[in-house]
Amino acid sequence: MIVAKRKPLNEIAEMLAPYKKVTVIGCRSCVAICLAGGEKEVKMLVSALKVKNKKEGKKQEFEGFVVERQCEKEWIKEVEDKVLGSDVTLSMACSLGAQTIGDMYPIHLTFPGLNTGIFGVPEEQGVWSEKCVGCGNCIIHTTGGICPISRCAKSMLNGPCGGSANRKCEVNLEIDCAWAAIYDRLKIQNRLDLIENVTPAKDWSTSHSGGRRTYVREDARLTPHQKKGKEAVQ
Amino acid sequence: MKAKVQVVLCRCCTEMPALLNMERLQKLAAESNNVVSVMTVDAACDGKNLAPAINEAKEKEIDRAVVFACHKKDISPAIVKAYRRAGVNEFLVEFVNMREEVVLPHMSEPERAQAKAETKMKAALIRSIMLAPLERQTEEMKTRNVVIIGAGVAGQAAAHEASKAGVHTILLEKTGKSLKAPGIIMTNAQLVGASGYGGNLQLKIKAGEKIENLGAAAVVIATGGGWTTLKGPLAKSVKDAVPLYKFYEQMQTGSVPKGPIVVVDTPDPAGKTMKVQDYAWDDTLETTIELKKKHPETQIFVIFQEMRAFGLSELAYKEAAELGIKFVRYDKGGAPKVDPKNPGVLMVKDFAQGELLNIRFGTLVFASIPPNEDNKAIAEALRIPMTMDGATRRGSIQRWPVSTPRSGVFVCGSALFPKSRDVAKAEGAAAGAMAGEFVKRGRIEFGGIVALVTQEKCSACLTCIRTCPYEAPFIGTASKVEIRVQACQGCGMCVGICPSKAIELHNYTDDQIAEEARVLLGGDF
Amino acid sequence: MAERRPKVIGFCCEKHGMDAAVLSARSGKQLDASVRIVQVPCTGRVDGIHLLKAFEDGADAVFVLGCLEKNCYYDTGSIEGRKRVGYVKQMLTEVGIEKERLEMFNSASSNAWAFPDAVSKMVDIAKKLGPIGGGERQ
């Protein structure tokens, strides 16, 4: 899922310093699960900022709450009054949420409280590691289920680089060499022959390198007739 | 319905009035919101003193009470019982410790103590009005079965003891060895799965090739130590190395072990996977003394890091040394290892002399043994925690020495850590007695102060499930978390950690805690 | 400048934490009256929110007192308590508040000194660092 991290509090405080009335909006989805922007984190952030203001003799008004999924306009619409009633909104969701609010109310100021992040797998409670960079063309069926684009520092497609040693990556010794892992995996699957296939150079146009991507399901789109009369979302 | 509070002020004989102004406290209580009765007693710890308060509680239809006295653990059971008879919910009776928090520690500051007492009273009364009545529940145990896993020394002792309580014992033995024990014995049987909670467990047992479902009220884990596996770098490098108990058994059959005999404390001298275990010393000394007496010509060495011959074993240590058994102490820097050039020689640096010794051996014996490999499977099946070294974890060495943190699941013997037969037997008897007593009750009681999930707020992040030691939260049919109330101990760990604040613990909700703190901080003292 | 009385608040677990406080009182130990205690079933119940709110509500110093980690009544509660305190200490540092104002302590119920030691340590810190933001107490 999307994993984000809260920005350092002093950075957030600086962002919000010029404003009097602040709404802090979190999200119950990905950022709650990765412990960055759920209701608890929102409440703690508001409290910490109030303590800071107490120290500096400043006065700001804070209101903090969460919505179910901040990237969906319907849920933002439900809290529109609170957003527009403030001088600035601090989004404690991933940047998708922050931008959804921003796009809905372009004159209103919406600032990001988190740094997004990675597509992360919870390796254990509290540890999320990146295993996908959204290249848009998944080939892990040929690599034993291990993604070389995200897990190899050089995104190699045909085996380890010359720097791989003791199953570790030469770029960062704390990273396991993805291709060593792929080799081990294909071995226990009895598919080592796959390693001998030469994968041609990757067509990166499906990844972000090709520019901002939009995924569409034509059959799911509402026709103009369907959209009419549904004022909530345009 | 409006809350009706009764305040009981205890004089603690003369201690309270000696420092505090009781009249002012009485007045403050009487003037507080929702307080309809203020009683003062000499000693709340004496049941007789409560009668007037209870009577007034009944008359005025009090629904909650706040007792200002001493430490609640000392007085609450009797008082709560008394209030129950007056129709007051047991969880609406609060105790405020004036004696140990306000009077005793501030004897030379009566004014500050008074202000503190008044603030505490204010906070307690505000808290009392925020509380909700809670109910305990009971559930009948569907069976009276105590399933004992492992028919070794500890398991058999557990079966004997449990059956004395009149419950049905079912002994599961992994091997096909023949046994005599009370109750049902299943050989070639292993636990492979479990669900439910202590009192009403559903077990999956693999007996031979079949899987059988068995209901049980309690389980005793007596799987023993890893007797048959010798793990550790030293064990790997010596063929035919033998664990101490096996060596002892061989001795009893009359066979003469090939000398010199070298007994090493652990097959893992660098201590990476195993700590040296205490039991080894009793049995090591007894075994080597017996051996030396039978075969005085055989050389015997005991290689150890720490000699823990406690109590009367010290005399055995003395006797062993006098008989000519050689004791060699090492530390991790000079741990014993087999000479790579000569597999029949053990190299070890003697700590006392600082010299490297080359000890030729005919038989290498290990005094300690690793944990049983079955522990992991059992722990997974029963969802109980393990220790860092792979043994079954007990609830608390002081309070529950033969219980796991999971209610109704007990553990004894070498499954915890290897121990001598006598101690294993005693522990087995203890676990069996506890299991028997637990099951004999016929019902389990739970509820009251337990966690409660508001499913709409739950993000199904699994954090509470991973944190709870008692397996209380679980993913329910709505793909959101539910609390298995029968297992919940009311600690609130899940409540404190939930990122979406979906769990609450009555009567320790965030609001209640925050409000109490706020009022206390608002006082000027 | 008038003498300001420090405000110290401790969240104590109902088990070993409170037992230690009670034992110290019964042993005759005298304490600075500035300390307030909030009882929780387990320090694992303590939420970072409570700790930060305590500072908001006027605390100069806050502590959490739980069982010894190897002997926690609820198995792993005081480990959780320690982690919560650690996280809030980090937050305090980020907003420029001295992290010494918040501390975690552990005690066995049989230790009569642990509670007075914790209290005197936190009272000293409260006196040394003063109220947050100096000036008037609310």
Side-chain angles (χ1 to χ4, degrees):
Chain A
M1 62 190 184
I2 296 181
V3 180
K5 242 164 63 157
R6 194 194 60 228
K7 282 179 174 293
L9 290 173
N10 50 325
E11 198 183 314
I12 294 178
E14 210 180 297
M15 255 193 249
L16 300 174
Y19 309 100
K20 196 80 201 254
K21 220 170 155 214
V22 182
T23 354
V24 181
I25 312 185
C27 179
R28 209 169 279 146
S29 303
C30 312
V31 294
I33 300 174
C34 66
L35 314 177
E39 189 170 319
K40 184 164 130 106
E41 289 293 323
V42 167
K43 284 188 166 149
M44 294 223 282
L45 175 102
V46 166
S47 204
L49 292 178
K50 282 185 180 170
V51 175
K52 180 177 205 285
N53 283 348
K54 192 178 163 118
K55 175 172 187 221
E56 295 167 3
K58 279 190 67 178
K59 279 243 167 352
Q60 276 177 308
E61 276 172 51
F62 292 96
E63 191 184 353
F65 53 89
V66 295
V67 293
E68 182 67 33
R69 219 159 54 241
Q70 208 175 103
C71 47
E72 301 274 22
K73 299 193 189 110
E74 281 91 336
W75 272 301
I76 304 299
K77 194 88 176 142
E78 278 182 9
V79 296
E80 183 174 271
D81 293 340
K82 297 195 184 176
V83 171
L84 297 179
S86 64
D87 300 328
V88 67
T89 296
L90 180 76
S91 165
M92 292 280 282
C94 69
S95 184
L96 302 176
Q99 290 187 63
T100 303
I101 303 179
D103 289 346
M104 281 174 77
Y105 311 109
I107 299 176
H108 180 77
L109 296 176
T110 306
F111 292 165
L114 306 185
N115 286 327
T116 320
I118 52 173
F119 294 146
V121 167
E123 301 282 6
E124 53 171 270
Q125 180 65 18
V127 179
W128 298 274
S129 73
E130 186 173 30
K131 284 193 176 160
C132 174
V133 290
C135 77
N137 187 7
C138 192
I139 48 128
I140 63 174
H141 53 294
T142 65
T143 54
I146 296 174
C147 170
I149 311 296
S150 59
R151 292 160 80 166
C152 167
K154 300 178 186 173
S155 301
M156 309 275 291
L157 288 177
N158 289 289
C161 69
S164 163
N166 294 326
R167 299 194 127 65
K168 293 290 183 187
C169 176
E170 71 168 349
V171 168
N172 180 347
L173 282 170
E174 288 177 26
I175 303 177
D176 295 331
C177 170
W179 278 98
I182 291 172
Y183 178 91
D184 291 341
R185 185 68 69 80
L186 289 174
K187 187 163 184 201
I188 61 177
Q189 291 178 350
N190 278 322
R191 293 159 86 213
L192 261 182
D193 50 298
L194 287 174
I195 259 204
E196 297 189 21
N197 294 346
V198 174
T199 307
K202 188 171 173 67
D203 172 5
W204 288 95
S205 64
T206 55
S207 78
H208 181 66
S209 312
R212 175 187 163 206
R213 298 165 285 177
T214 305
Y215 278 23
V216 179
R217 273 284 297 271
E218 281 302 334
D219 63 307
R221 299 184 76 173
L222 298 177
T223 65
H225 175 79
Q226 282 176 301
K227 281 192 215 169
K228 209 160 178 89
K230 289 204 152 253
E231 287 97 27
V233 181
Q234 281 304 320
Chain B
M1 242 189 47
K2 199 167 179 285
K4 284 161 134 190
V5 184
Q6 177 175 70
V7 169
V8 175
L9 290 165
C10 181
R11 288 198 188 92
C12 288
C13 301
T14 53
E15 284 179 346
M16 300 281 214
L19 194 70
L20 302 176
N21 185 327
M22 298 299 285
E23 287 76 35
R24 269 182 55 189
L25 288 173
Q26 286 158 345
K27 187 159 179 282
L28 182 62
E31 290 170 355
S32 299
N33 288 337
N34 298 74
V35 174
V36 303
S37 161
V38 180
M39 309 287 294
T40 309
V41 299
D42 279 332
C45 42
D46 185 345
K48 294 195 293 292
N49 287 333
L50 297 170
I54 302 298
N55 286 336
E56 181 152 312
K58 282 189 204 150
E59 269 174 44
K60 298 202 170 164
E61 293 177 333
I62 303 292
D63 75 328
R64 57 195 74 202
V66 185
V67 179
F68 294 87
C70 63
H71 193 37
K72 91 169 174 193
K73 281 183 193 165
D74 298 334
I75 50 168
S76 61
I79 296 183
V80 166
K81 226 182 191 170
Y83 271 113
R84 255 216 295 257
R85 277 184 264 125
V88 178
N89 181 285
E90 61 177 296
F91 294 100
L92 291 180
V93 182
E94 286 277 294
F95 294 86
V96 179
N97 190 344
M98 286 297 209
R99 181 172 183 259
E100 277 94 24
E101 282 186 43
V102 181
V103 174
L104 291 183
H106 309 314
M107 298 290 272
S108 56
E109 297 190 279
E111 274 145 31
R112 288 185 83 183
Q114 180 70 23
K116 189 168 175 176
E118 291 178 12
T119 308
K120 269 189 90 70
M121 173 173 276
K122 198 165 152 208
L125 293 175
I126 289 175
R127 176 180 156 80
S128 172
I129 296 169
M130 293 174 87
L131 299 179
L134 305 172
E135 294 303 328
R136 265 200 243 260
Q137 296 163 271
T138 55
E139 190 177 293
E140 294 293 311
M141 292 182 184
K142 296 199 190 82
T143 72
R144 296 288 182 275
N145 293 338
V146 174
V147 172
I148 299 160
I149 308 175
V153 165
Q156 291 189 41
H160 275 105
E161 204 56 39
S163 58
K164 283 188 196 165
V167 300
H168 302 139
T169 56
I170 297 151
L171 206 44
L172 301 182
E173 169 52 41
K174 176 169 83 166
T175 67
K177 73 180 185 192
S178 73
L179 297 161
K180 246 185 93 182
I184 299 174
I185 301 170
M186 295 172 73
T187 50
N188 294 312
Q190 282 183 291
L191 182 76
V192 292
S195 61
Y197 36 84
N200 278 317
L201 291 156
Q202 288 88 43
L203 305 178
K204 259 204 174 67
I205 296 173
K206 183 153 179 264
E209 287 309 311
K210 289 190 326 187
I211 305 268
E212 285 188 34
N213 290 318
L214 181 64
V219 170
V220 177
I221 301 171
T223 41
W227 303 102
T228 51
T229 29
L230 276 178
K231 266 198 223 165
L234 200 54
K236 285 204 197 101
S237 48
V238 177
K239 212 162 59 81
D240 304 330
V242 75
L244 185 66
Y245 86 100
K246 222 189 177 93
F247 182 74
Y248 184 77
E249 274 177 14
Q250 287 167 352
M251 256 173 63
Q252 304 311 307
T253 63
S255 71
V256 181
K258 181 159 173 277
I261 316 287
V262 171
V263 182
V264 184
D265 57 357
T266 164
D268 178 21
K272 286 207 171 52
T273 55
M274 253 176 65
K275 296 197 287 275
V276 178
Q277 294 132 6
D278 292 336
Y279 103 99
W281 300 127
D282 267 6
D283 290 15
T284 303
L285 293 169
E286 276 181 34
T287 307
T288 49
I289 288 173
E290 195 177 312
L291 181 65
K292 192 72 173 173
K293 283 186 176 164
K294 273 197 197 149
H295 306 281
E297 74 291 351
T298 307
Q299 274 199 304
I300 307 180
F301 292 86
V302 175
I303 321 278
F304 64 96
Q305 280 184 64
E306 280 180 47
M307 175 58 67
R308 295 198 210 137
F310 54 89
L312 295 174
S313 305
E314 272 206 54
L315 297 174
Y317 189 12
K318 184 164 185 270
E319 189 185 345
E322 283 170 355
L323 284 171
I325 296 170
K326 305 261 190 293
F327 289 88
V328 179
R329 186 179 162 200
Y330 70 92
D331 74 353
K332 290 208 179 115
K337 54 179 186 280
V338 173
D339 188 345
K341 296 192 217 89
N342 194 343
V345 169
L346 190 75
M347 298 186 334
V348 60
K349 188 168 168 199
D350 180 17
F351 186 77
Q353 299 176 68
E355 271 184 41
L356 189 66
L357 301 177
N358 295 315
I359 305 175
R360 195 174 47 83
F361 63 87
T363 311
L364 195 64
V365 181
F366 290 112
S368 305
I369 49 165
N372 193 334
E373 287 187 329
D374 293 333
N375 285 343
K376 186 151 186 284
I378 306 272
E380 273 173 25
L382 288 167
R383 295 199 307 283
I384 51 176
M386 292 171 69
T387 63
M388 296 288 294
D389 356 16
T392 309
R393 193 155 93 198
R394 48 161 57 123
S396 155
I397 195 160
Q398 295 167 322
R399 282 183 310 276
W400 305 304
V402 287
S403 310
T404 64
R406 213 171 165 204
S407 161
V409 180
F410 305 92
V411 59
C412 56
S414 299
L416 287 165
F417 58 87
K419 42 181 68 90
S420 62
R421 301 175 78 82
D422 292 337
V423 180
K425 196 165 164 201
E427 277 189 6
M434 292 212 53
E437 189 275 334
F438 175 75
V439 174
K440 206 165 105 162
R441 295 181 213 161
R443 61 161 68 93
I444 47 171
E445 226 186 63
F446 51 91
I449 298 183
V450 287
L452 196 62
V453 176
T454 305
Q455 301 220 306
E456 300 85 67
K457 293 181 89 172
C458 172
S459 294
C461 68
L462 307 177
T463 301
C464 56
I465 293 175
R466 291 170 184 155
T467 309
C468 176
Y470 305 107
E471 296 289 324
F474 67 99
I475 294 286
T477 46
S479 285
K480 296 290 177 85
V481 169
E482 286 175 44
I483 302 288
R484 199 175 279 123
V485 185
Q486 294 88 345
C488 178
Q489 302 290 311
C491 67
M493 253 189 269
C494 59
V495 183
I497 210 173
C498 173
S500 291
K501 300 270 51 173
I503 319 182
E504 268 300 13
L505 183 76
H506 299 283
N507 284 317
Y508 290 95
T509 64
D510 281 340
D511 288 343
Q512 287 159 355
I513 295 175
E515 190 61 12
E516 190 180 343
R518 189 188 66 82
V519 176
L520 288 173
L521 286 166
D524 188 14
F525 52 86
Chain C
M1 216 166 36
E3 166 75 24
R4 288 180 215 300
R5 290 211 186 115
K7 291 202 181 187
V8 175
I9 189 165
F11 293 86
C12 297
C13 76
E14 251 179 22
K15 310 298 181 191
H16 291 184
M18 279 313 296
D19 283 356
V22 167
L23 183 64
S24 84
R26 290 181 180 171
S27 311
K29 311 270 183 282
Q30 299 297 293
L31 303 175
D32 193 310
S34 320
V35 64
R36 293 111 163 108
I37 302 179
V38 174
Q39 242 187 65
V40 287
C42 174
T43 50
R45 171 68 190 93
V46 174
D47 194 326
I49 297 176
H50 306 144
L51 304 174
L52 286 165
K53 186 123 198 323
F55 285 114
E56 262 190 78
D57 288 338
D60 305 330
V62 177
F63 68 94
V64 175
L65 175 62
C67 311
L68 293 169
E69 285 186 15
K70 286 200 172 155
N71 200 17
C72 176
Y73 191 93
Y74 292 109
D75 202 43
T76 50
S78 48
I79 295 176
E80 283 298 314
R82 170 185 27 105
K83 290 194 272 175
R84 314 279 163 79
V85 168
Y87 187 64
V88 176
K89 275 168 93 96
Q90 168 62 25
M91 287 179 86
L92 289 175
T93 310
E94 281 178 23
V95 291
I97 309 279
E98 304 91 334
K99 64 180 187 317
E100 291 78 24
R101 291 181 185 267
L102 173 66
E103 210 55 76
M104 173 86 198
F105 297 98
N106 302 79
S107 173
S109 50
S110 50
N111 185 341
W113 283 110
F115 186 69
D117 279 353
V119 170
S120 74
K121 186 167 175 198
M122 298 317 284
V123 167
D124 283 346
I125 286 174
K127 284 183 175 160
K128 187 172 97 174
L129 300 177
I132 293 182
E136 297 300 312
R137 289 184 191 282
Q138 272 100 41

